Amino acid sequence: MHGTRETLILQRDVDVIYVPDGTSGTLPQGEVVQMYQALGGSYTVIASGSGRMARIAAGDADALGKEPETLDNLSDDTDAASVEKNVWEVLKTIYDPEIPVNIVELGLVYRCEVTPVDDGDGRNDVHVVMTLTAPGCGMGPVLQFDAERAIRQLPGIRQVNVEVVFDPPWSRDMMSEAAKLELGML
């Protein structure tokens, strides 16, 4: 959807995160917004009143008159291999609000470790190591929270730790070929 601009009227007050600084705010019911990007279930809009770019979470899709997206390709199995596959799938639904490429294809996710917990319930601890395109990115905590929340909602999860590191630093060489193609870098 990142190529088409759709004008919408907010159906209710909605909490937003302003891009790129990552500060919180609220847009009021009746505000006219222009859709900038709708990927991974979250929405990036430009508010007509202020002209500011804001991100609306997937759970607030109804404020835009949209239905929340769901993932149909996840496994209900809770063994470590299935959980790791699920983690990678949900990480592919998380997008930088300004870039139409998910954090996996951008090369921001360095590692995913799934450790089974010996509690007899088939639960696992998940540790993800990721970075940001720039150390001062105001959206960093938002992307980290989105990853933690998405993983926490999967079956078989006990504990989640998403660690943001800056060594090694991110570079465009870490992007997948698909991401480079999407961004016109090939």
Side-chain angles (χ1 to χ4, degrees):
M1 138 107 339
H2 61 275
T4 307
R5 302 293 191 251
E6 181 181 2
T7 301
L8 302 163
I9 299 171
L10 293 178
Q11 306 296 306
R12 62 172 174 83
D13 290 357
V14 65
D15 292 331
V16 299
I17 296 173
Y18 289 107
V19 179
D21 58 4
T23 57
S24 298
T26 303
L27 291 176
Q29 178 179 351
E31 173 96 22
V32 176
V33 297
Q34 185 161 48
M35 186 74 68
Y36 177 78
Q37 176 173 285
L39 294 167
S42 65
Y43 305 89
T44 304
V45 300
I46 298 173
S48 63
S50 65
R52 290 184 74 186
M53 184 176 283
R55 181 183 164 281
I56 297 175
D60 290 319
D62 65 300
L64 293 163
K66 305 280 184 190
E67 290 289 324
E69 292 182 19
T70 59
L71 278 178
D72 298 327
N73 58 340
L74 298 178
S75 171
D76 290 331
D77 295 333
T78 60
D79 62 277
S82 296
V83 168
E84 182 175 349
K85 180 184 175 298
N86 283 348
V87 169
W88 284 107
E89 288 300 317
V90 298
L91 290 175
K92 290 177 187 174
T93 69
I94 298 169
Y95 287 77
D96 182 300
E98 298 177 285
I99 304 172
V101 177
N102 70 62
I103 64 173
V104 172
E105 297 295 327
L106 273 176
L108 298 181
V109 180
Y110 290 163
R111 189 169 63 247
C112 171
E113 298 167 357
V114 177
T115 306
V117 179
D118 292 329
D119 64 359
D121 290 340
R123 296 183 310 155
N124 302 271
D125 291 344
V126 177
H127 181 216
V128 171
V129 178
M130 66 177 285
T131 193
L132 305 172
T133 55
C137 175
M139 293 304 293
V142 175
L143 295 175
Q144 181 182 17
F145 173 79
D146 284 352
E148 287 175 355
R149 188 196 71 231
I151 295 166
R152 209 177 255 59
Q153 294 174 351
L154 292 171
I157 302 297
R158 182 185 79 159
Q159 196 170 357
V160 178
N161 177 26
V162 176
E163 179 184 2
V164 177
V165 299
F166 296 104
D167 188 29
W170 179 84
S171 74
R172 292 178 181 205
D173 295 336
M174 296 173 167
M175 294 169 56
S176 71
E177 295 296 314
K180 289 176 184 174
L181 182 63
E182 175 70 28
L183 298 175
M185 301 171 93
L186 282 182

mmCIF file of all heavy atoms in Angstrom, residues 73-111:
data_model
loop_
_atom_site.group_PDB
_atom_site.id
_atom_site.type_symbol
_atom_site.label_atom_id
_atom_site.label_comp_id
_atom_site.label_asym_id
_atom_site.label_seq_id
_atom_site.Cartn_x
_atom_site.Cartn_y
_atom_site.Cartn_z
ATOM 1 N N ASN A 73 -0.127 -18.194 8.572
ATOM 2 C CA ASN A 73 0.890 -19.211 8.315
ATOM 3 C C ASN A 73 1.686 -19.607 9.561
ATOM 4 O O ASN A 73 2.764 -20.171 9.446
ATOM 5 C CB ASN A 73 1.848 -18.722 7.232
ATOM 6 C CG ASN A 73 2.516 -17.417 7.598
ATOM 7 O OD1 ASN A 73 2.033 -16.679 8.445
ATOM 8 N ND2 ASN A 73 3.619 -17.114 6.947
ATOM 9 N N LEU A 74 1.168 -19.341 10.758
ATOM 10 C CA LEU A 74 1.877 -19.682 11.982
ATOM 11 C C LEU A 74 1.507 -21.080 12.463
ATOM 12 O O LEU A 74 0.378 -21.526 12.301
ATOM 13 C CB LEU A 74 1.562 -18.665 13.080
ATOM 14 C CG LEU A 74 1.981 -17.232 12.803
ATOM 15 C CD1 LEU A 74 1.563 -16.331 13.946
ATOM 16 C CD2 LEU A 74 3.472 -17.133 12.556
ATOM 17 N N SER A 75 2.473 -21.738 13.079
ATOM 18 C CA SER A 75 2.266 -23.076 13.624
ATOM 19 C C SER A 75 1.759 -22.977 15.058
ATOM 20 O O SER A 75 2.131 -22.066 15.795
ATOM 21 C CB SER A 75 3.595 -23.836 13.606
ATOM 22 O OG SER A 75 3.470 -25.050 14.299
ATOM 23 N N ASP A 76 0.915 -23.928 15.456
ATOM 24 C CA ASP A 76 0.464 -24.019 16.850
ATOM 25 C C ASP A 76 1.431 -24.835 17.696
ATOM 26 O O ASP A 76 1.287 -24.910 18.909
ATOM 27 C CB ASP A 76 -0.929 -24.647 16.930
ATOM 28 C CG ASP A 76 -2.004 -23.717 16.376
ATOM 29 O OD1 ASP A 76 -1.826 -22.489 16.446
ATOM 30 O OD2 ASP A 76 -3.015 -24.239 15.862
ATOM 31 N N ASP A 77 2.404 -25.469 17.040
ATOM 32 C CA ASP A 77 3.377 -26.296 17.753
ATOM 33 C C ASP A 77 4.273 -25.415 18.608
ATOM 34 O O ASP A 77 4.564 -24.269 18.250
ATOM 35 C CB ASP A 77 4.225 -27.103 16.769
ATOM 36 C CG ASP A 77 3.395 -28.119 15.993
ATOM 37 O OD1 ASP A 77 2.354 -28.565 16.533
ATOM 38 O OD2 ASP A 77 3.778 -28.455 14.861
ATOM 39 N N THR A 78 4.725 -25.963 19.740
ATOM 40 C CA THR A 78 5.542 -25.169 20.660
ATOM 41 C C THR A 78 6.954 -25.725 20.834
ATOM 42 O O THR A 78 7.670 -25.318 21.739
ATOM 43 C CB THR A 78 4.849 -25.057 22.039
ATOM 44 O OG1 THR A 78 4.669 -26.370 22.568
ATOM 45 C CG2 THR A 78 3.522 -24.330 21.929
ATOM 46 N N ASP A 79 7.365 -26.640 19.946
ATOM 47 C CA ASP A 79 8.755 -27.088 19.987
ATOM 48 C C ASP A 79 9.642 -25.934 19.519
ATOM 49 O O ASP A 79 9.177 -25.013 18.840
ATOM 50 C CB ASP A 79 8.955 -28.332 19.115
ATOM 51 C CG ASP A 79 8.639 -28.050 17.655
ATOM 52 O OD1 ASP A 79 7.435 -28.103 17.302
ATOM 53 O OD2 ASP A 79 9.576 -27.748 16.892
ATOM 54 N N ALA A 80 10.901 -25.972 19.894
ATOM 55 C CA ALA A 80 11.809 -24.846 19.626
ATOM 56 C C ALA A 80 11.890 -24.482 18.143
ATOM 57 O O ALA A 80 11.885 -23.306 17.786
ATOM 58 C CB ALA A 80 13.199 -25.152 20.181
ATOM 59 N N ALA A 81 11.937 -25.483 17.259
ATOM 60 C CA ALA A 81 12.042 -25.203 15.818
ATOM 61 C C ALA A 81 10.794 -24.483 15.301
ATOM 62 O O ALA A 81 10.900 -23.521 14.525
ATOM 63 C CB ALA A 81 12.270 -26.496 15.049
ATOM 64 N N SER A 82 9.611 -24.923 15.738
ATOM 65 C CA SER A 82 8.364 -24.271 15.307
ATOM 66 C C SER A 82 8.274 -22.856 15.860
ATOM 67 O O SER A 82 7.843 -21.932 15.159
ATOM 68 C CB SER A 82 7.152 -25.083 15.763
ATOM 69 O OG SER A 82 7.147 -26.350 15.145
ATOM 70 N N VAL A 83 8.668 -22.685 17.114
ATOM 71 C CA VAL A 83 8.632 -21.348 17.727
ATOM 72 C C VAL A 83 9.589 -20.415 16.991
ATOM 73 O O VAL A 83 9.236 -19.278 16.677
ATOM 74 C CB VAL A 83 8.949 -21.421 19.237
ATOM 75 C CG1 VAL A 83 9.196 -20.031 19.811
ATOM 76 C CG2 VAL A 83 7.815 -22.116 19.977
ATOM 77 N N GLU A 84 10.783 -20.897 16.668
ATOM 78 C CA GLU A 84 11.739 -20.043 15.946
ATOM 79 C C GLU A 84 11.188 -19.642 14.584
ATOM 80 O O GLU A 84 11.284 -18.484 14.176
ATOM 81 C CB GLU A 84 13.091 -20.735 15.781
ATOM 82 C CG GLU A 84 14.092 -19.831 15.088
ATOM 83 C CD GLU A 84 15.492 -20.408 14.986
ATOM 84 O OE1 GLU A 84 15.783 -21.441 15.621
ATOM 85 O OE2 GLU A 84 16.298 -19.804 14.256
ATOM 86 N N LYS A 85 10.581 -20.589 13.869
ATOM 87 C CA LYS A 85 9.964 -20.262 12.570
ATOM 88 C C LYS A 85 8.882 -19.198 12.750
ATOM 89 O O LYS A 85 8.813 -18.235 11.987
ATOM 90 C CB LYS A 85 9.377 -21.522 11.939
ATOM 91 C CG LYS A 85 8.711 -21.279 10.596
ATOM 92 C CD LYS A 85 8.065 -22.557 10.063
ATOM 93 C CE LYS A 85 7.299 -22.318 8.796
ATOM 94 N NZ LYS A 85 6.184 -21.409 8.897
ATOM 95 N N ASN A 86 8.043 -19.347 13.779
ATOM 96 C CA ASN A 86 6.998 -18.365 14.059
ATOM 97 C C ASN A 86 7.589 -16.991 14.375
ATOM 98 O O ASN A 86 7.064 -15.963 13.940
ATOM 99 C CB ASN A 86 6.117 -18.817 15.221
ATOM 100 C CG ASN A 86 5.120 -19.886 14.832
ATOM 101 O OD1 ASN A 86 4.899 -20.177 13.657
ATOM 102 N ND2 ASN A 86 4.498 -20.491 15.834
ATOM 103 N N VAL A 87 8.666 -16.983 15.157
ATOM 104 C CA VAL A 87 9.300 -15.709 15.517
ATOM 105 C C VAL A 87 9.755 -14.984 14.262
ATOM 106 O O VAL A 87 9.472 -13.798 14.073
ATOM 107 C CB VAL A 87 10.473 -15.918 16.499
ATOM 108 C CG1 VAL A 87 11.293 -14.632 16.643
ATOM 109 C CG2 VAL A 87 9.966 -16.372 17.859
ATOM 110 N N TRP A 88 10.439 -15.692 13.367
ATOM 111 C CA TRP A 88 10.895 -15.052 12.125
ATOM 112 C C TRP A 88 9.710 -14.546 11.298
ATOM 113 O O TRP A 88 9.783 -13.470 10.704
ATOM 114 C CB TRP A 88 11.759 -16.016 11.306
ATOM 115 C CG TRP A 88 13.140 -16.159 11.875
ATOM 116 C CD1 TRP A 88 13.641 -17.231 12.543
ATOM 117 C CD2 TRP A 88 14.187 -15.186 11.851
ATOM 118 N NE1 TRP A 88 14.939 -16.984 12.928
ATOM 119 C CE2 TRP A 88 15.304 -15.744 12.513
ATOM 120 C CE3 TRP A 88 14.296 -13.895 11.333
ATOM 121 C CZ2 TRP A 88 16.503 -15.057 12.670
ATOM 122 C CZ3 TRP A 88 15.500 -13.212 11.479
ATOM 123 C CH2 TRP A 88 16.587 -13.781 12.144
ATOM 124 N N GLU A 89 8.610 -15.308 11.285
ATOM 125 C CA GLU A 89 7.421 -14.874 10.537
ATOM 126 C C GLU A 89 6.837 -13.578 11.106
ATOM 127 O O GLU A 89 6.481 -12.673 10.355
ATOM 128 C CB GLU A 89 6.353 -15.971 10.511
ATOM 129 C CG GLU A 89 6.698 -17.150 9.636
ATOM 130 C CD GLU A 89 6.920 -16.781 8.172
ATOM 131 O OE1 GLU A 89 6.136 -15.986 7.621
ATOM 132 O OE2 GLU A 89 7.890 -17.298 7.584
ATOM 133 N N VAL A 90 6.724 -13.482 12.429
ATOM 134 C CA VAL A 90 6.137 -12.257 12.998
ATOM 135 C C VAL A 90 7.101 -11.083 12.885
ATOM 136 O O VAL A 90 6.662 -9.937 12.735
ATOM 137 C CB VAL A 90 5.613 -12.416 14.450
ATOM 138 C CG1 VAL A 90 4.493 -13.433 14.515
ATOM 139 C CG2 VAL A 90 6.707 -12.710 15.441
ATOM 140 N N LEU A 91 8.405 -11.355 12.930
ATOM 141 C CA LEU A 91 9.362 -10.258 12.751
ATOM 142 C C LEU A 91 9.261 -9.666 11.346
ATOM 143 O O LEU A 91 9.502 -8.473 11.143
ATOM 144 C CB LEU A 91 10.786 -10.726 13.039
ATOM 145 C CG LEU A 91 11.095 -11.040 14.505
ATOM 146 C CD1 LEU A 91 12.497 -11.612 14.644
ATOM 147 C CD2 LEU A 91 10.905 -9.820 15.396
ATOM 148 N N LYS A 92 8.847 -10.489 10.382
ATOM 149 C CA LYS A 92 8.667 -10.001 9.011
ATOM 150 C C LYS A 92 7.434 -9.106 8.875
ATOM 151 O O LYS A 92 7.209 -8.519 7.826
ATOM 152 C CB LYS A 92 8.559 -11.179 8.042
ATOM 153 C CG LYS A 92 9.857 -11.915 7.855
ATOM 154 C CD LYS A 92 9.656 -13.123 6.941
ATOM 155 C CE LYS A 92 10.906 -13.968 6.866
ATOM 156 N NZ LYS A 92 10.668 -15.209 6.097
ATOM 157 N N THR A 93 6.625 -8.996 9.935
ATOM 158 C CA THR A 93 5.450 -8.117 9.887
ATOM 159 C C THR A 93 5.745 -6.753 10.506
ATOM 160 O O THR A 93 4.853 -5.910 10.588
ATOM 161 C CB THR A 93 4.245 -8.735 10.624
ATOM 162 O OG1 THR A 93 4.508 -8.764 12.033
ATOM 163 C CG2 THR A 93 3.923 -10.124 10.107
ATOM 164 N N ILE A 94 6.975 -6.544 10.937
ATOM 165 C CA ILE A 94 7.334 -5.286 11.602
ATOM 166 C C ILE A 94 8.123 -4.430 10.621
ATOM 167 O O ILE A 94 9.142 -4.861 10.077
ATOM 168 C CB ILE A 94 8.131 -5.565 12.891
ATOM 169 C CG1 ILE A 94 7.242 -6.372 13.838
ATOM 170 C CG2 ILE A 94 8.594 -4.263 13.537
ATOM 171 C CD1 ILE A 94 7.944 -6.940 15.015
ATOM 172 N N TYR A 95 7.627 -3.243 10.418
ATOM 173 C CA TYR A 95 8.192 -2.329 9.424
ATOM 174 C C TYR A 95 8.622 -1.030 10.072
ATOM 175 O O TYR A 95 7.957 -0.520 10.975
ATOM 176 C CB TYR A 95 7.143 -1.990 8.348
ATOM 177 C CG TYR A 95 6.876 -3.119 7.400
ATOM 178 C CD1 TYR A 95 6.093 -4.206 7.776
ATOM 179 C CD2 TYR A 95 7.408 -3.111 6.125
ATOM 180 C CE1 TYR A 95 5.844 -5.247 6.905
ATOM 181 C CE2 TYR A 95 7.163 -4.156 5.235
ATOM 182 C CZ TYR A 95 6.379 -5.209 5.640
ATOM 183 O OH TYR A 95 6.133 -6.246 4.774
ATOM 184 N N ASP A 96 9.718 -0.501 9.575
ATOM 185 C CA ASP A 96 10.081 0.871 9.903
ATOM 186 C C ASP A 96 8.970 1.740 9.300
ATOM 187 O O ASP A 96 8.586 1.538 8.155
ATOM 188 C CB ASP A 96 11.435 1.202 9.262
ATOM 189 C CG ASP A 96 11.905 2.594 9.585
ATOM 190 O OD1 ASP A 96 11.188 3.558 9.227
ATOM 191 O OD2 ASP A 96 12.986 2.732 10.168
ATOM 192 N N PRO A 97 8.418 2.698 10.061
ATOM 193 C CA PRO A 97 7.293 3.487 9.544
ATOM 194 C C PRO A 97 7.594 4.290 8.283
ATOM 195 O O PRO A 97 6.686 4.687 7.571
ATOM 196 C CB PRO A 97 6.960 4.433 10.693
ATOM 197 C CG PRO A 97 7.535 3.794 11.897
ATOM 198 C CD PRO A 97 8.730 3.030 11.440
ATOM 199 N N GLU A 98 8.868 4.541 8.008
ATOM 200 C CA GLU A 98 9.216 5.352 6.842
ATOM 201 C C GLU A 98 9.721 4.539 5.661
ATOM 202 O O GLU A 98 9.884 5.070 4.578
ATOM 203 C CB GLU A 98 10.302 6.366 7.222
ATOM 204 C CG GLU A 98 9.855 7.349 8.282
ATOM 205 C CD GLU A 98 10.968 8.277 8.679
ATOM 206 O OE1 GLU A 98 11.879 7.836 9.414
ATOM 207 O OE2 GLU A 98 10.923 9.441 8.250
ATOM 208 N N ILE A 99 9.993 3.252 5.890
ATOM 209 C CA ILE A 99 10.601 2.418 4.850
ATOM 210 C C ILE A 99 9.685 1.228 4.569
ATOM 211 O O ILE A 99 9.326 0.507 5.493
ATOM 212 C CB ILE A 99 11.985 1.914 5.308
ATOM 213 C CG1 ILE A 99 12.892 3.093 5.679
ATOM 214 C CG2 ILE A 99 12.643 1.082 4.209
ATOM 215 C CD1 ILE A 99 14.197 2.684 6.324
ATOM 216 N N PRO A 100 9.325 0.985 3.307
ATOM 217 C CA PRO A 100 8.395 -0.108 2.988
ATOM 218 C C PRO A 100 9.060 -1.486 2.937
ATOM 219 O O PRO A 100 8.807 -2.280 2.040
ATOM 220 C CB PRO A 100 7.845 0.303 1.625
ATOM 221 C CG PRO A 100 8.973 1.044 0.994
ATOM 222 C CD PRO A 100 9.638 1.794 2.119
ATOM 223 N N VAL A 101 9.935 -1.761 3.907
ATOM 224 C CA VAL A 101 10.627 -3.042 3.979
ATOM 225 C C VAL A 101 10.618 -3.474 5.443
ATOM 226 O O VAL A 101 10.879 -2.670 6.336
ATOM 227 C CB VAL A 101 12.077 -2.916 3.455
ATOM 228 C CG1 VAL A 101 12.826 -4.238 3.604
ATOM 229 C CG2 VAL A 101 12.094 -2.456 2.000
ATOM 230 N N ASN A 102 10.354 -4.773 5.686
ATOM 231 C CA ASN A 102 10.308 -5.245 7.068
ATOM 232 C C ASN A 102 11.708 -5.330 7.675
ATOM 233 O O ASN A 102 12.712 -5.321 6.963
ATOM 234 C CB ASN A 102 9.546 -6.572 7.173
ATOM 235 C CG ASN A 102 10.281 -7.733 6.553
ATOM 236 O OD1 ASN A 102 11.372 -8.105 6.968
ATOM 237 N ND2 ASN A 102 9.659 -8.328 5.531
ATOM 238 N N ILE A 103 11.760 -5.429 9.014
ATOM 239 C CA ILE A 103 13.044 -5.371 9.714
ATOM 240 C C ILE A 103 13.936 -6.576 9.409
ATOM 241 O O ILE A 103 15.158 -6.457 9.495
ATOM 242 C CB ILE A 103 12.859 -5.189 11.238
ATOM 243 C CG1 ILE A 103 12.146 -6.381 11.883
ATOM 244 C CG2 ILE A 103 12.165 -3.872 11.539
ATOM 245 C CD1 ILE A 103 12.078 -6.338 13.405
ATOM 246 N N VAL A 104 13.361 -7.711 9.029
ATOM 247 C CA VAL A 104 14.168 -8.876 8.663
ATOM 248 C C VAL A 104 14.853 -8.621 7.322
ATOM 249 O O VAL A 104 16.067 -8.800 7.183
ATOM 250 C CB VAL A 104 13.315 -10.167 8.628
ATOM 251 C CG1 VAL A 104 14.106 -11.343 8.065
ATOM 252 C CG2 VAL A 104 12.781 -10.487 10.019
ATOM 253 N N GLU A 105 14.081 -8.186 6.315
ATOM 254 C CA GLU A 105 14.647 -7.921 4.988
ATOM 255 C C GLU A 105 15.625 -6.748 5.012
ATOM 256 O O GLU A 105 16.559 -6.693 4.213
ATOM 257 C CB GLU A 105 13.538 -7.675 3.960
ATOM 258 C CG GLU A 105 12.629 -8.867 3.733
ATOM 259 C CD GLU A 105 13.331 -10.065 3.126
ATOM 260 O OE1 GLU A 105 14.262 -9.890 2.320
ATOM 261 O OE2 GLU A 105 12.954 -11.199 3.464
ATOM 262 N N LEU A 106 15.408 -5.806 5.943
ATOM 263 C CA LEU A 106 16.348 -4.685 6.087
ATOM 264 C C LEU A 106 17.675 -5.136 6.690
ATOM 265 O O LEU A 106 18.652 -4.396 6.656
ATOM 266 C CB LEU A 106 15.752 -3.591 6.984
ATOM 267 C CG LEU A 106 14.882 -2.542 6.329
ATOM 268 C CD1 LEU A 106 14.304 -1.601 7.362
ATOM 269 C CD2 LEU A 106 15.651 -1.757 5.275
ATOM 270 N N GLY A 107 17.704 -6.337 7.243
ATOM 271 C CA GLY A 107 18.928 -6.830 7.861
ATOM 272 C C GLY A 107 19.117 -6.331 9.277
ATOM 273 O O GLY A 107 20.227 -6.345 9.808
ATOM 274 N N LEU A 108 18.035 -5.894 9.916
ATOM 275 C CA LEU A 108 18.132 -5.369 11.277
ATOM 276 C C LEU A 108 18.140 -6.460 12.340
ATOM 277 O O LEU A 108 18.557 -6.215 13.467
ATOM 278 C CB LEU A 108 16.972 -4.404 11.559
ATOM 279 C CG LEU A 108 16.904 -3.150 10.689
ATOM 280 C CD1 LEU A 108 15.720 -2.288 11.103
ATOM 281 C CD2 LEU A 108 18.198 -2.365 10.743
ATOM 282 N N VAL A 109 17.672 -7.665 11.993
ATOM 283 C CA VAL A 109 17.636 -8.752 12.972
ATOM 284 C C VAL A 109 18.874 -9.613 12.767
ATOM 285 O O VAL A 109 19.042 -10.246 11.730
ATOM 286 C CB VAL A 109 16.355 -9.604 12.839
ATOM 287 C CG1 VAL A 109 16.351 -10.719 13.882
ATOM 288 C CG2 VAL A 109 15.120 -8.725 12.988
ATOM 289 N N TYR A 110 19.743 -9.613 13.769
ATOM 290 C CA TYR A 110 21.000 -10.354 13.679
ATOM 291 C C TYR A 110 20.855 -11.809 14.102
ATOM 292 O O TYR A 110 21.504 -12.682 13.570
ATOM 293 C CB TYR A 110 22.063 -9.700 14.560
ATOM 294 C CG TYR A 110 22.560 -8.363 14.063
ATOM 295 C CD1 TYR A 110 23.234 -7.514 14.923
ATOM 296 C CD2 TYR A 110 22.370 -7.938 12.752
ATOM 297 C CE1 TYR A 110 23.718 -6.287 14.496
ATOM 298 C CE2 TYR A 110 22.839 -6.714 12.315
ATOM 299 C CZ TYR A 110 23.529 -5.897 13.181
ATOM 300 O OH TYR A 110 23.995 -4.689 12.755
ATOM 301 N N ARG A 111 20.016 -12.055 15.110
ATOM 302 C CA ARG A 111 19.970 -13.403 15.659
ATOM 303 C C ARG A 111 18.660 -13.641 16.387
ATOM 304 O O ARG A 111 18.090 -12.731 16.977
ATOM 305 C CB ARG A 111 21.143 -13.567 16.625
ATOM 306 C CG ARG A 111 21.381 -14.953 17.121
ATOM 307 C CD ARG A 111 22.713 -15.121 17.866
ATOM 308 N NE ARG A 111 22.812 -14.318 19.083
ATOM 309 C CZ ARG A 111 23.651 -13.295 19.252
ATOM 310 N NH1 ARG A 111 24.446 -12.925 18.282
ATOM 311 N NH2 ARG A 111 23.680 -12.638 20.386
#
